[in-house]
Amino acid sequence: MQVLSWCRKNLLLVLTIAGVVMGCILGSLIRLAEPSPVAIELISFPGEILMRALKMLILPLIVSSLIVGEWTFTPDSIQPHCG
């Protein structure tokens, strides 16, 4: 009963781990089936789209973080470090 209660409380964690395990099993089974190059390309297409979308998000996030970091500095907050 406590295990079921814990699983309900941490449902996102349980589903994430289950998805990773199922993905590993499915990937192993597909590799054993030796799919054709066309099938491999069709299977990898959604992952390629996801990776390209993530790459497009990284540069704007870095640039905006640098800009916000520069705006937070005021002359009073920068103290000279002279000995």
Side-chain angles (χ1 to χ4, degrees):
M1 195 62 159
Q2 288 180 345
V3 173
L4 187 60
S5 173
W6 183 87
C7 287
R8 284 186 186 152
K9 193 180 295 184
N10 298 305
L11 186 60
L12 182 61
L13 175 65
V14 171
L15 291 177
T16 302
I17 293 172
V20 168
V21 170
M22 288 179 62
C24 290
I25 292 170
L26 186 63
S28 298
L29 291 176
I30 289 174
R31 180 173 284 218
L32 290 175
E34 296 180 3
S36 67
V38 174
I40 292 173
E41 190 172 330
L42 289 174
I43 292 171
S44 66
F45 182 70
E48 187 68 30
I49 295 292
L50 175 66
M51 290 307 295
R52 288 183 183 188
L54 289 174
K55 286 179 185 178
M56 287 191 308
L57 286 174
I58 290 172
L59 185 62
L61 284 174
I62 291 173
V63 170
S64 63
S65 295
L66 289 173
I67 290 172
V68 169
E70 286 294 322
W71 281 348
T72 58
F73 283 128
T74 60
D76 296 335
S77 67
I78 303 173
Q79 298 176 357
H81 295 289
C82 298

